[in-house]
Amino acid sequence: MLKFFAKIFKTPKNIISFSKNDLNQMDFFEIGEKIQDKVKKLFRGSLAIRQIDAGSDNACEQELIALSNSFYDVERFGIHFVASPRHADMLLVTGPVTRNMAKAVKDAYDGTPNPKIVVAIGDDAIDGGIFKNSYAVLNGVDSVVPVDYQILGDPPTPTIILYSLLKILETVEDKTLQKK
Amino acid sequence: MLEIIASPISFFILLSLFFVGAIGSLFFYKNNNQANAWSSFFVISGSLVGLVFSIVNILTKNSLLFGLKTSFFSFFTISFHIDLLSSFFVFVISLLALFCSIYGIGYVRHYYKKYNIGVLGFFYNLFIGSLILVVTSSNGILFLIFWEIMSISSYFLVVYDNHDDDNVKAGLLYLVMTYIGTSFIILAFLLLYKYIGSFDFLVIKDNIALIPASIKNIVFVSAFIGFGLKAGIIPLHIWLPVAHPAAPSHVSALMSGIMIKSGIYMMIRLFLDILQPVPFWWGLMVLVVGSISALLGVLYALTEHDIKRLLAYHSIENIGIILLGLGSALTFYSLNLPALALLGLIAALFHTLNHAIFKALLFLSAGSVINEVHTRNMEEYGGLIKYMPQTALFFLIGSVAISALPPFNGFFSEWLTYQALFQGIAQMSFVTQWIFILATGSLVFTGGLALACFVKAFGVTFLARPRSKKVTCAKESALSMRLGMGGLALLTLLFGVFSGYIISIINTVSQSLGIFKNSSSAINISSSQSMSVSNGFSSISGPLIFVLFVVTIFLVVFIFKKIINRKQKECTTNTWDCGTNFTPRAEITATGFSRSIILIFKGLLKPTIQHNIEYYDDQNRYLPKSRTVTLNIGNVYHTYLYQPLHIVINKLSVKAKTIQNGNIDLYISYILVALMLALLVIL
């Protein structure tokens, strides 16, 4: 238990930051192509994501659902939303983590095989956002499980989400290169 | 030394040990511990003497014939004939009695203060003693006396747990059925007596030519019914799945392992020894009955969720397999192919031995489980491997052996049975060939279904999570019980690995039968323990299979651990439960597991499925409170065989009542008429 808290404490919560210019220069398809390259390299062609709603107001869910609609269609880049944490490489957690969902988030984290990437999406998930300091919430995902990356926005648009994923994958690639 | 061991003296020592054990435990009826110790000590020492006696007799090919010279009646002599076949059965009985009694020391403890242990010890000693006498006596009347002692003592063992009404009912059914069987046996013996004038088996054997063929056929049919009833052939089996589960588990092990084999012993003795030469159709009939018993036995076993009834049905199946070997032996011999007949007989005897061992092992481990969980219903078990790991291992070994998987002993005897049947297919004319093909098919089916059944039995009992709270209180069974089971488990492995040696011994046992005197067997056993049938038709080697088995397991584990998974770390976490709470309701049940197979054999098993839904509000049928599905198997034998018989007998009895109406005048006139008739006949 203590170990787990230490891990939560130690894990660097990288907030994915980028300038508007970067985003404006590339259109969605370009980002997607780059992501596809990274996914091919790092995950052998398919990145499985499990999304957890930890008491979100559904704004982030709308955007995530939009990712897989026919307009954005991220599946063509090798990103899949899967039904079980057992199949996932990455956990996307939305919402400020209500007290009732804390155990579910923890269980899902435990249920995901290692190595795993935990990403908190949206301002709510980072520190509670507009629900901050309410009696019903725990103020962010990092109070329950170790969070590796955080994506800003209330809610972030699908393009921002995809772009952030690209950034995350780039960081992951850098880290693996460093290890080698 | 050997001569003393192999003499009638040690046979009487053996008997007196059981006798002293029986009487002594009655004296100690007030003290449970003393009674238990007394009866166990004498049974164990008796079976040890029996083991040594029979092994020495078999190895020195010694045949004993002794008895009291004088007797009051000409037809009743107390005579025993212990040839190698009898010695073989004495060996099997003593072997099983030894391990079951070791197990029994710990097992009967849970009867303390509920029942009288002295009585149990009395009947237990009597039962084993009479079993040994049944397979050694050489006079029809003497045999029947011991046969009855065996039946009665086993009846009292069946109803021992008499607080349960079901057990008393089971005992009654057993008693009625056993008397029906005995009456057929008496009929057979009386017919033999009528034509030969003696009940002595040896005299009958010498003068068998005096019996006309038609009478011989009647003798065959009634002996087959009588002994088949004891052996549990279908459709005379109905007592077996009821009576065996009712008895204490170590007694069930003996009943299933050995008592039903006394029927097989007498079939071998009569059909292959005494009544020779036999007509062709006897063998075919035994074959057909054997294949039906094997197939239906295993099908009924699949439908059971009472663990001991399941095992009892498997006894029916295995008796069927033994009869397949015996039937092919009879068929081959009547066609003058003694080498192949010997093959069939060896298969039957080896399977008798093997089935005794692994069925006892299974019954004992089931008994341990029942002892801890206090129910026979498999649906209330589950997860027992965590609470009783050693018992689980023993049950697994027994299951693997009964499913005929190498390297355990069941595989080798079934392999021999297959060889006998294949030889039949290869050598026979068209019609007979098809009977052999169907018998082989039924054996194949039986093997597969037995495997499915034991996957079910082992999985539902020992794997997954506990299905009831009782399981979580279970503990590993007592040391003596584990010793009993462990010894048998070791034997299943040893008799498999060294099957070549065992078969060569059984070969000498079978060759000692008069009809096989000058014939050599179709099995060749090389110095490296490998057997081959009819000059290389097929061959197999126990040690080789065992070595392959061990090497394969080692290689697979090695390859997976060290090569394929060398970079991966193992981690143990909870099962992913999708956020729900796991309950045992999510597990597959025994009934659910067998349902698909039951539906395939719908025509044979006649299942009935009943759905019951209880609503919170009868008017408003939207919220069901509870749903139950009841899956039942129709009792075909009851509705189509026993009930009509019952009705006919009832009607006949009512008719007969008109003769006996209670009027004393009428009775006097009956006496007068009888007297007149008697006078007329004499004059």
Side-chain angles (χ1 to χ4, degrees):
Chain A
M1 201 66 210
L2 270 178
K3 247 187 190 172
F4 188 66
F5 282 125
K7 194 179 178 189
I8 292 181
F9 188 71
K10 272 189 213 158
T11 312
K13 294 149 199 75
N14 298 317
I15 296 186
I16 305 301
S17 55
F18 47 85
S19 64
K20 275 264 160 68
N21 283 338
D22 295 348
L23 200 59
N24 288 340
Q25 276 169 12
M26 287 193 276
D27 70 340
F28 189 80
F29 189 70
E30 264 178 87
I31 305 173
E33 296 247 283
K34 282 192 172 172
I35 276 216
Q36 199 171 12
D37 285 349
K38 302 277 176 233
V39 168
K40 256 189 191 146
K41 230 179 188 175
L42 293 169
F43 296 95
R44 298 206 184 161
S46 96
L47 168 65
I49 299 178
R50 171 71 195 160
Q51 190 259 323
I52 306 169
D53 177 346
S56 157
D57 53 10
N58 274 21
C60 287
E61 272 71 34
Q62 296 282 9
E63 306 301 324
L64 285 170
I65 288 167
L67 271 180
S68 34
N69 68 15
S70 48
F71 183 75
Y72 292 107
D73 191 20
V74 287
E75 298 225 348
R76 63 190 154 157
F77 308 128
I79 297 176
H80 307 274
F81 286 91
V82 292
S84 162
R86 277 277 190 268
H87 309 153
D89 302 309
M90 181 188 274
L91 286 180
L92 282 186
V93 192
T94 59
V97 187
T98 55
R99 285 179 192 280
N100 287 337
M101 283 303 285
K103 185 174 180 298
V105 173
K106 174 82 172 51
D107 284 354
Y109 178 81
D110 288 341
T112 315
N114 282 322
K116 53 198 162 198
I117 305 166
V118 183
V119 182
I121 288 201
D123 293 347
D124 298 352
I126 293 170
D127 60 355
I130 54 169
F131 304 106
K132 196 172 184 178
N133 295 334
S134 156
Y135 70 93
V137 303
L138 298 174
N139 292 341
V141 183
D142 56 353
S143 59
V144 189
V145 293
V147 174
D148 299 307
Y149 302 100
Q150 295 174 328
I151 298 175
L152 287 169
D154 192 16
T157 63
T159 322
I160 292 179
I161 294 174
L162 198 71
Y163 188 67
S164 310
L165 283 181
L166 177 61
K167 288 278 175 193
I168 291 170
L169 294 188
E170 277 170 359
T171 335
V172 171
E173 192 183 14
D174 287 348
K175 274 188 192 168
T176 45
L177 283 179
Q178 272 169 21
K179 266 187 195 167
K180 277 178 185 170
Chain B
M1 184 64 199
L2 285 182
E3 280 155 16
I4 300 173
I5 293 174
S7 69
I9 301 167
S10 59
F11 183 68
F12 284 116
I13 292 175
L14 158 76
L15 290 182
S16 53
L17 278 171
F18 288 119
F19 186 72
V20 173
I23 302 296
S25 46
L26 271 190
F27 279 112
F28 285 115
Y29 77 99
K30 276 186 181 156
N31 187 325
N32 288 327
N33 255 326
Q34 279 172 358
N36 185 11
W38 182 274
S39 87
S40 304
F41 174 77
F42 280 97
V43 171
I44 289 171
S45 46
S47 2
L48 280 175
V49 173
L51 265 182
V52 174
F53 172 74
S54 52
I55 289 174
V56 168
N57 262 335
I58 292 173
L59 290 184
T60 57
K61 300 187 186 174
N62 187 13
S63 164
L64 294 172
L65 179 63
F66 55 91
L68 289 180
K69 289 281 178 297
T70 55
S71 83
F72 301 111
F73 311 102
S74 60
F75 55 84
F76 177 60
T77 50
I78 298 176
S79 59
F80 297 97
H81 181 215
I82 309 179
D83 59 354
L84 290 193
L85 186 65
S86 297
S87 291
F88 177 75
F89 276 87
V90 171
F91 170 73
V92 183
I93 294 167
S94 321
L95 190 71
L96 269 206
L98 177 66
F99 288 105
C100 290
S101 312
I102 292 175
Y103 176 91
I105 301 173
Y107 179 77
V108 297
R109 287 217 181 99
H110 80 277
Y111 288 122
Y112 281 11
K113 292 178 184 162
K114 274 195 278 182
Y115 298 102
N116 195 327
I117 305 296
V119 174
L120 179 67
F122 174 73
F123 285 118
Y124 187 66
N125 273 287
L126 201 64
F127 176 53
I128 295 169
S130 59
L131 270 172
I132 289 182
L133 287 168
V134 159
V135 296
T136 50
S137 58
S138 166
N139 180 292
I141 304 275
L142 194 69
F143 168 82
L144 280 173
I145 292 171
F146 296 138
W147 182 264
E148 278 308 291
I149 294 176
M150 175 184 87
S151 303
I152 304 262
S153 55
S154 55
Y155 162 75
F156 280 107
L157 289 169
V158 167
V159 298
Y160 182 67
D161 196 350
N162 56 14
H163 291 184
D164 191 346
D165 276 346
D166 284 349
N167 292 351
V168 180
K169 261 188 212 158
L172 196 65
L173 178 65
Y174 171 45
L175 204 62
V176 170
M177 289 304 285
T178 219
Y179 275 117
I180 293 174
T182 310
S183 62
F184 277 101
I185 297 169
I186 293 175
L187 177 67
F189 282 163
L190 283 179
L191 279 174
L192 290 176
Y193 180 72
K194 182 167 184 284
Y195 285 88
I196 290 168
S198 169
F199 282 111
D200 197 282
F201 291 161
L202 293 176
V203 178
I204 296 175
K205 190 182 161 191
D206 291 340
N207 300 312
I208 198 66
L210 294 176
I211 297 182
S214 58
I215 299 297
K216 219 163 147 184
N217 287 340
I218 298 173
V219 169
F220 164 72
V221 170
S222 53
F224 192 54
I225 290 175
F227 294 118
L229 200 145
K230 198 53 138 188
I233 58 171
I234 284 177
L236 306 169
H237 69 287
I238 56 160
W239 63 274
L240 202 147
V242 187
H244 284 207
S249 288
H250 61 307
V251 179
S252 326
L254 280 172
M255 284 173 76
S256 244
I258 269 302
M259 191 189 76
I260 58 173
K261 307 287 169 48
S262 60
I264 296 289
Y265 163 77
M266 278 311 285
M267 283 187 202
I268 296 175
R269 175 67 74 205
L270 277 179
F271 306 155
L272 276 175
D273 193 19
I274 295 177
L275 295 182
Q276 283 291 346
V278 300
F280 178 57
W281 64 272
W282 290 15
L284 292 187
M285 184 169 163
V286 174
L287 260 184
V288 169
V289 169
S291 33
I292 290 173
S293 293
L295 191 55
L296 286 181
V298 73
L299 272 179
Y300 287 116
L302 254 174
T303 65
E304 274 304 327
H305 50 81
D306 175 331
I307 189 162
K308 278 175 95 176
R309 281 178 71 115
L310 181 144
L311 294 177
Y313 273 121
H314 271 287
S315 297
I316 298 172
E317 172 223 327
N318 278 288
I319 285 291
I321 295 174
I322 295 170
L323 285 184
L324 286 181
L326 183 59
S328 49
L330 280 171
T331 317
F332 288 134
Y333 196 78
S334 57
L335 291 175
N336 211 6
L337 296 164
L340 296 180
L342 206 51
L343 173 67
L345 181 62
I346 291 171
L349 284 178
F350 193 34
H351 200 69
T352 305
L353 173 65
N354 289 342
H355 173 247
I357 293 171
F358 58 63
K359 182 47 65 67
L361 173 60
L362 285 168
F363 259 115
L364 296 186
S365 31
S368 302
V369 170
I370 295 163
N371 208 357
E372 294 296 328
V373 190
H374 303 292
T375 173
R376 298 206 305 254
N377 188 354
M378 290 201 320
E379 312 285 21
E380 294 182 39
Y381 296 167
L384 275 164
I385 196 167
K386 293 209 181 77
Y387 302 93
M388 322 176 73
Q390 298 183 21
T391 310
L393 175 69
F394 299 143
F395 193 88
L396 182 66
I397 289 176
S399 313
V400 172
I402 199 173
S403 314
L405 297 179
F408 293 100
N409 57 3
F411 169 75
F412 294 95
S413 46
E414 272 195 35
W415 183 82
L416 277 180
T417 315
Y418 274 117
Q419 297 312 320
L421 293 175
F422 288 157
Q423 295 301 326
I425 296 173
Q427 313 252 354
M428 296 290 159
S429 61
F430 185 72
V431 178
T432 330
Q433 194 178 32
W434 270 99
I435 290 178
F436 271 91
I437 289 175
L438 289 179
T440 316
S442 100
L443 188 56
V444 172
F445 241 126
T446 308
L449 290 174
L451 188 59
C453 191
F454 275 93
V455 167
K456 170 183 118 170
F458 183 78
V460 170
T461 311
F462 291 103
L463 302 184
R465 294 189 183 185
R467 290 161 212 267
S468 68
K469 279 217 170 126
K470 296 175 207 159
V471 172
T472 52
C473 310
K475 290 190 292 290
E476 185 57 84
S477 36
L479 178 68
S480 75
M481 294 161 79
R482 275 178 287 153
L483 269 181
M485 291 185 282
L488 287 171
L490 193 66
L491 280 183
T492 45
L493 183 63
L494 288 182
F495 279 24
V497 176
F498 299 107
S499 50
Y501 181 66
I502 308 288
I503 286 172
S504 65
I505 290 176
I506 294 178
N507 190 14
T508 52
V509 170
S510 324
Q511 269 176 338
S512 74
L513 282 186
I515 56 168
F516 294 125
K517 269 279 144 51
N518 300 318
S519 52
S520 64
S521 136
I523 309 174
N524 292 315
I525 292 152
S526 73
S527 53
S528 62
Q529 298 278 319
S530 70
M531 325 169 235
S532 64
V533 171
S534 23
N535 296 329
F537 176 77
S538 57
S539 65
I540 201 164
S541 160
L544 191 67
I545 284 185
F546 180 67
V547 170
L548 271 181
F549 190 73
V550 173
V551 167
T552 315
I553 286 182
F554 180 75
L555 270 185
V556 167
V557 170
F558 179 79
I559 288 173
F560 265 89
K561 284 243 169 191
K562 300 283 170 188
I563 297 175
I564 296 180
N565 288 353
R566 71 178 181 283
K567 276 187 188 163
Q568 278 151 3
K569 266 195 292 182
E570 266 181 33
C571 68
T572 315
T573 53
N574 292 336
T575 311
W576 176 245
D577 54 5
C578 299
T580 54
N581 271 333
F582 261 149
T583 58
R585 283 179 57 114
E587 295 164 22
I588 190 164
T589 59
T591 316
F593 186 91
S594 47
R595 181 178 168 272
S596 49
I597 299 175
I598 293 175
L599 288 186
I600 294 171
F601 293 95
K602 207 158 59 176
L604 280 173
L605 294 170
K606 308 236 181 274
T608 52
I609 299 179
Q610 204 178 353
H611 294 268
N612 271 324
I613 307 177
E614 198 185 322
Y615 296 97
Y616 280 102
D617 182 3
D618 271 344
Q619 307 298 317
N620 178 8
R621 300 194 157 194
Y622 287 107
L623 296 171
K625 193 174 179 181
S626 66
R627 255 166 221 266
T628 48
V629 180
T630 322
L631 186 68
N632 266 321
I633 301 301
N635 196 337
V636 184
Y637 310 99
H638 245 264
T639 36
Y640 296 111
L641 181 63
Y642 289 96
Q643 238 163 24
L645 257 178
H646 179 223
I647 292 169
V648 167
I649 289 173
N650 251 359
K651 277 190 181 156
L652 283 178
S653 315
V654 170
K655 286 259 166 69
K657 232 170 106 181
T658 50
I659 308 174
Q660 199 171 18
N661 58 3
N663 188 345
I664 202 144
D665 297 346
L666 196 66
Y667 289 163
I668 292 172
S669 73
Y670 287 157
I671 293 172
L672 191 71
V673 171
L675 208 67
M676 302 269 272
L677 279 177
L679 276 174
L680 270 179
V681 170
I682 289 169
L683 294 174

